[in-house]
Amino acid sequence: MTSPLADAQGRRIRYLRLSLTEACNFACSYCSPGPHRGGAALPREAIARLVRVFAGLGVERVRLTGGEPTLRPDLVDVARDIAAVPGIQEVALTTNGQLLDRLAAPLRAAGVARLNVSLDTLRPERMTRLSGRAASLPRVLEGVAAAGRAGYASLKLNAVVVRGLNEDELGDLARFAWRQGAIMRFIELMPFGEGEPVPIAEVKSLLEAQGIRLTPDATRGWGPARHMRGAAADGVEGLVGFIGAMTESFCEDCNRVRVGADGALRACLGGRDRVELLPLLLAGDDAAVADRIRAALLAKGERHDMAGRRGELIPMIGTGG
């Protein structure tokens, strides 16, 4: 490594979010409505090469996303490849949990240390409304239980809060997560799909009204979540994470870059710029890949403008979240 990877503002980039496929078995209204059965998927060999290049530039953490990454038949092998790359300290994965009951243990054995599972509701009819008819709450809950048994260093449950759909069960979600030994995280709706957002300040007020007492907590992770300590009247307690991209911007300490399943780099979640890496990866030109990554990050803006670009953004399923 010649010099640490940084963007135009000097923010150190240590975290790669890598989409493994654009296919998804859910149709979440807030992400990109409609089923995604096909689409791009980076070859396994290109993924390994890409991660080696990023590790050589100082990236230490890789999160595997999608689409839905568990739809890749070679997911466990891909995770094992990445975990073996020198310089990569941690491999994490985000999933909708539908197939996690059979994959939680193999993924943990392959080197995935941290797991995020999307869980927007505890009511089956609401899951159907939010995520489509293919989404099965019992299967997702079985996956969460399997993850708890597999011994991950961290298990987080993510809920996107959508007004009129699930803001009345935030307290129930927090209590459920804590009983699983997980952190509950509430995410402000971003303008990629449908629905009305609930600002993070209101989410905190709703939690208090639903019986969750919140107190300050300084816990920070690799990502943008800000945490508080939560406690319920029945004695169950734990951490609550809040991700407020729209009302509590996290741009000032951005440490991440995204590569989609098509092999294109996205320097900012809220941007439309794509920098093609796949042809260089397939050609085996690691130096050219590294140069292109550096150049893309030096062109990155200071802040996202998702609110001002509503309707122009690449769908969430195409960016890897």
Side-chain angles (χ1 to χ4, degrees), residues 60-235:
E60 300 166 348
R61 185 189 204 233
V62 179
R63 175 169 292 279
L64 306 177
T65 69
E68 174 47 45
T70 60
L71 293 179
R72 276 193 70 127
D74 61 351
L75 173 61
V76 173
D77 292 328
V78 168
R80 187 179 296 111
D81 291 346
I82 294 172
V85 173
I88 298 301
Q89 298 179 11
E90 187 173 272
V91 181
L93 182 135
T94 296
T95 174
N96 62 30
Q98 183 95 336
L99 304 178
L100 194 56
D101 55 344
R102 60 180 176 81
L103 284 170
L107 285 168
R108 183 69 190 97
V112 177
R114 295 177 180 267
L115 192 66
N116 290 6
V117 182
S118 296
L119 185 67
D120 300 311
T121 178
L122 293 169
R123 304 182 190 182
E125 71 282 1
R126 286 187 174 180
M127 177 164 278
T128 299
R129 184 177 174 188
L130 275 164
S131 300
R133 287 179 295 176
S136 167
L137 181 60
R139 290 193 64 184
V140 173
L141 297 183
E142 288 173 11
V144 171
R149 295 189 296 269
Y152 286 87
S154 170
L155 175 61
K156 298 173 183 175
L157 306 183
N158 293 340
V160 176
V161 185
V162 184
R163 193 177 301 283
L165 289 178
N166 63 347
E167 80 270 34
D168 61 343
E169 56 178 310
L170 307 184
D172 291 340
L173 284 163
R175 285 182 283 266
F176 173 81
W178 298 336
R179 291 189 181 108
Q180 313 309 309
I183 296 172
M184 189 68 224
R185 304 200 308 173
F186 296 107
I187 301 172
E188 206 170 62
L189 182 69
M190 291 176 276
F192 290 95
E194 302 172 355
E196 181 183 347
V198 179
I200 289 297
E202 185 178 344
V203 169
K204 293 176 182 177
S205 296
L206 287 167
L207 281 166
E208 295 272 6
Q210 293 168 27
I212 304 298
R213 181 172 56 87
L214 297 173
T215 55
D217 191 281
T219 300
R220 288 299 307 271
W222 284 83
R226 270 58 172 179
H227 293 87
M228 297 188 77
R229 175 69 50 179
D234 61 2

Side-chain angles (χ1 to χ4, degrees), residues 278-291:
L278 185 56
L280 296 176
L281 289 168
L282 296 178
D285 194 341
D286 292 0
V289 173
D291 288 344

Side-chain angles (χ1 to χ4, degrees), residues 286-299:
D286 292 0
V289 173
D291 288 344
R292 190 163 290 185
I293 291 168
R294 286 190 184 277
L297 286 164
L298 289 176

